[in-house]
Structure formats: structure tokens, C-alpha cells
């Protein structure tokens, strides 16, 4: 997953530091830049930076608290982490009113409903794009060569994250056409798909029952993500969902087999189908092809798995997937039952 806030913080300050050094002696500049990583780690506040850079650093700290500590916190710790995250984001906006990441992240707690947040993101998208494009033009005038490309990329990332959130929120709210449109708009702005919005697009196309569109997306992987083939859990699960919906259970079973081949330790996750909180800064960073990636895809795929009703309290697809995987992997089924019993005992 490409949006790494700590890495982006480092890149922002390294560009500014390099520009400060450009006016001096080249030899001294080279020696000074060689020590940048140590200074960043030990004395970040002493490096040249603007209020916008300081604001982004506060977003980084808020992301660590909200996205990576909060899901594992006790109830008592959770309130402190939520408060800390909000305070950091509010401080970021006071330093830089154009800190779109902070404004977007705060909207999760400040909008009264999922639909209201979707509308907030949709209404603000054009403004954020214009702001980021102005920043990109300013950066292009300040750098050349590889630095210019990196600076332009960094300038556009808040817009890319905004559109990725918009696509995800539209999908959750059932605005499937809008989710697909937002994903395509993001891919037009960032053909390399830094935000992995193709995953959201795959689910939107499955919800729309657009099999030709999903097949076309699979073919586009060679251009969008040339270093990784169309074997991620989102695309595979979307194909299983479409096969199941058209009652082609043979194709659905073959799709499940492909999913288990791609994620050999994923049977338990497919049976349990746990729902995780979404990352506020961006989609949570996990290793490609890992069990964690499958768990994340299943969580986002609840919109498919829980569609319709069944006697077990899951959606039709979710129950079918759990049953099929339990048949394929009885050990995983027994472990899922054990974990469920343990959770029932621990639940007050």
C-alpha cells in the first residue's frame, strides 16, 4: 500500500532541505545532505520547514494514533487516542488551513452520518483538486529533474487521498455508480494508482453487476500495476461475488480456490469475515499477498458479503463463502468456532 505518511513526511523535508542547500557550495551541500537522515530522526524540528510541513507532521502523528494504535487499544485508552488524534488534526488546520488531509480526516467524526460524509467529500473534491494543482504548479517552478517529479507527486497526494476516500464512502453508502466514477477520476489523475483505488473500483463494479467492466479492469492491471498481476483479494472476491450472483457456483468455487491459492493461510479469515475500522489517512498499509491484506479486503468486501439475508445472520454470499471454505478446510472451521466461543465468553 503506497500512502506511507512517515515516508511522505521525510520526502517533504528532504526536498526543502535540498533546495536550501542548492545556493551554497556543492561539496558542502553533498556532505550536509549525507547527514539529513540522521538529522530527520534526531532533530526534525530543527530542519528547514514551513507551517504546511509542520501541519503534515501533525497529520502523521494523528494517523499513528487513530489508524495504527486505536484498533488495538482498550476502551480506556481509546478515548485518549481519539482525543489526541482530533487535537493533532485541529492543530494542523490551525497551522495550515489548506491541510486537506486533516480536514478530510476530521470529517469522519464531525459529520453526523455516512451519507453526510459522502456529501462533504463529494462537494469538496473540485476545490481540493484546484488547490493541489496550484501547489503542483508552484513546485514545478521551484525544482527540476527528479526533484520536480517528486515534488509534483507530493503536491497531488492530498487530492488523491481525498478521491480514494470519496470512492470508498460512496461504496459504503450504496452510491455504486458514484464510487466507480470517483475511482476512474482518480485513476485519470494518477494512472499509477498510488492509492490502490482499483480495489474499490472492483467492488463497485461487482455491486453494479458489471461483468464486462470488471473484465476490462482486470486487463488494465498490466498498465495500472505492472509489477503485480490481477491476483489481489479485491479483484478475486469481486469475481466470486459476480459468479455467485449469476448462480454459476462452479465458477464461484474456482474463484474461491484461486483466492486460497493466492492467500494460502487465509481460510480462517474467509470463514470469520471480520470487519475492521477503515484507515482515516489512507487504506491501511499491509504487505502485498499477506494474510493481513486478505483480512483487509474481506473487511472492505462486507458490502458484498453481507448483501441479502440468510438464516445465519450473514449475507447470502458471506454464508456461502464461509460454508465452502469450511468444507475445504475443516481445521480452519474448527479454529473459527473456537475463536467465536472464546469471544463469546470474553464479551461482557
Amino acid at each position: 500500500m503506497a500512502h506511507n505518511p512517515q515516508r511522505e513526511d521525510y520526502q517533504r523535508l528532504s526536498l526543502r532541505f535540498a533546495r536550501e542547500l542548492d545556493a551554497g557550495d556543492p561539496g558542502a551541500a553533498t556532505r550536509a545532505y549525507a547527514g539529513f537522515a540522521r538529522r530527520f530522526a534526531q532533530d526534525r524540528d530543527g530542519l528547514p520547514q514551513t507551517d504546511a510541513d509542520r501541519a503534515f507532521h501533525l497529520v502523521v502523528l494523528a494517523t499513528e494514533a487513530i489508524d495504527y494504535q486505536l484498533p488495538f487499544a482498550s476502551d480506556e485508552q481509546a478515548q485518549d487516542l481519539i482525543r489526541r488524534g482530533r487535537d493533532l488534526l485541529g492543530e494542523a488546520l490551525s497551522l495550515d488551513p489548506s491541510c486537506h488531509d486533516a480536514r478530510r480526516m476530521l470529517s469522519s467524526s464531525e459529520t453526523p452520518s455516512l451519507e453526510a460524509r459522502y456529501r462533504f467529500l463529494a462537494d469538496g473534491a473540485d476545490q481540493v483538486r484546484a488547490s493541489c494543482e496550484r501547489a503542483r504548479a508552484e513546485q514545478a517552478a521551484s525544482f527540476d529533474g527528479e526533484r520536480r517529479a517528486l515534488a509534483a507527486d507530493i503536491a497531488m497526494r492530498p487530492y488523491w487521498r481525498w478521491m480514494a476516500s470519496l470512492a470508498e464512502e460512496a461504496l459504503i453508502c450504496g452510491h455504486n455508480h458514484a464510487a466507480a466514477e470517483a475511482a476512474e477520476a482518480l485513476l485519470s489523475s494518477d494512472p499509477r494508482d498510488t492509492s490502490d483505488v482499483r480495489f474499490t473500483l472492483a467492488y463497485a463494479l461487482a455491486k453494479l453487476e458489471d461483468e464486462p467492466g470488471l473484465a476490462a479492469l482486470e486487463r488494465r492491471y498490466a498498465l495500472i500495476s505492472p509489477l503485480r498481476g490481477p491476483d489481489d483479494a479485491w479483484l478475486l472476491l469481486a469475481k466470486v461475488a459476480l459468479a455467485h450472483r449469476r448462480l454459476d457456483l462452479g465458477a464461484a468455487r474456482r474463484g474461491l480456490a484461486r483466492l486460497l491459492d493466492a492467500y494460502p493461510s487465509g481460510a480462517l479469515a474467509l470463514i470469520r469475515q471480520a470487519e475492521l475500522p477503515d484507515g482515516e489517512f489512507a487504506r491501511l498499509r499491509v504487505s502485498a499477498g499477506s494474510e493481513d491484506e486478505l483480512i483487509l479486503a474481506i473487511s472492505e468486501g462486507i458490502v458484498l458479503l453481507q448483501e441479502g439475508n440468510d438464516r445465519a445472520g450473514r449475507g447470502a454470499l458471506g454464508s456461502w463463502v464461509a460454508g465452502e471454505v469450511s468444507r475445504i478446510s475443516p481445521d480452519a472451521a474448527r479454529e473459527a468456532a473456537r475463536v467465536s466461543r472464546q469471544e463469546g465468553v470474553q464479551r461482557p
Side-chain angles (χ1 to χ4, degrees):
M1 305 300 178
H3 285 292
N4 182 330
Q6 290 87 359
R7 182 168 179 264
E8 189 167 328
D9 191 26
Y10 181 93
Q11 290 173 326
R12 289 175 68 109
L13 290 202
S14 69
L15 282 170
R16 193 165 302 283
F17 189 67
R19 187 165 60 184
E20 294 278 334
L21 295 176
D22 283 345
D25 173 67
T30 300
R31 290 191 296 274
Y33 194 76
F36 173 79
R38 177 185 53 78
R39 287 192 60 186
F40 181 85
Q42 299 177 3
D43 184 29
R44 185 195 177 283
D45 290 343
L47 290 167
Q49 55 193 290
T50 65
D51 281 347
D53 296 325
R54 295 183 181 92
F56 186 80
H57 183 63
L58 294 172
V59 168
V60 174
L61 298 177
T63 299
E64 180 63 27
I66 297 170
D67 286 355
Y68 294 97
Q69 294 179 16
L70 182 58
F72 307 102
S74 66
D75 290 344
E76 184 177 332
Q77 294 169 326
Q79 293 307 311
D80 290 337
L81 287 169
I82 291 170
R83 186 163 41 251
R84 171 171 166 75
R86 287 177 182 167
D87 289 348
L88 288 165
L89 294 171
E91 187 179 351
L93 277 174
S94 69
L95 281 172
D96 177 20
S98 295
C99 186
H100 305 302
D101 287 309
R103 188 156 60 96
R104 175 178 55 84
M105 292 169 72
L106 276 172
S107 71
S108 284
S109 59
E110 293 182 345
T111 47
S113 66
L114 292 172
E115 183 67 26
R117 185 167 193 249
Y118 161 69
R119 288 281 15 132
F120 169 81
L121 293 170
D123 292 345
D126 288 345
Q127 177 189 358
V128 174
R129 182 186 63 197
S131 172
C132 290
E133 287 176 347
R134 286 194 299 272
R136 181 177 61 185
E138 292 169 4
Q139 295 299 328
S142 302
F143 295 99
D144 54 21
E146 291 183 3
R147 289 185 194 169
R148 176 183 291 176
L150 176 58
D153 188 270
I154 290 172
M156 291 302 297
R157 287 179 194 169
Y159 170 65
W160 296 342
R161 289 189 283 266
W162 190 284
M163 292 301 292
S165 291
L166 173 57
E168 291 164 8
E169 205 73 22
L171 183 67
I172 292 168
C173 290
H175 302 303
N176 301 313
H177 284 288
E181 289 168 2
E184 290 290 7
L186 177 47
L187 286 171
S188 294
S189 178
D190 178 28
R192 296 173 302 166
D193 195 18
T194 306
S195 305
D196 291 331
V197 77
R198 65 191 183 279
F199 299 159
T200 309
L201 178 56
Y203 284 170
L205 293 170
K207 291 286 285 184
L208 291 168
E209 301 184 41
D210 185 355
E211 296 208 39
L214 190 64
L217 175 63
E218 184 173 7
R219 292 192 295 271
R220 289 164 64 190
Y221 265 55
L223 294 175
I224 296 173
S225 182
L227 297 181
R228 183 177 187 185
D231 62 348
D232 59 79
W234 288 266
L235 184 65
L236 295 175
L237 188 56
K239 293 172 72 174
V240 168
L242 284 175
H244 183 267
R245 190 169 297 172
R246 67 175 182 266
L247 301 180
D248 188 348
L249 297 187
R253 289 189 181 98
R254 289 192 294 274
L256 265 186
R258 276 192 68 190
L259 198 52
L260 288 168
D261 284 344
Y263 300 89
S265 62
L268 179 62
L270 285 164
I271 295 169
R272 286 180 50 73
Q273 298 171 21
E275 192 167 1
L276 305 174
D278 293 329
E280 295 293 347
F281 179 75
R283 182 177 272 115
L284 298 176
R285 288 181 290 113
V286 292
S287 299
S290 66
E291 184 179 353
D292 285 343
E293 182 179 74
L294 176 61
I295 291 170
L296 185 58
I298 291 168
S299 177
E300 294 181 10
I302 292 298
V303 294
L304 297 172
L305 294 164
Q306 291 187 357
E307 195 172 42
N309 297 314
D310 81 319
R311 289 176 296 177
R314 302 192 194 213
L317 176 62
S319 287
W320 181 84
V321 167
E324 284 296 311
V325 177
S326 295
R327 181 181 60 79
I328 294 168
S329 179
D331 288 345
R334 285 189 288 271
E335 177 64 11
R338 185 193 68 79
V339 173
S340 294
R341 287 193 300 270
Q342 184 178 22
E343 289 177 343
V345 170
Q346 292 175 347
R347 191 176 298 116

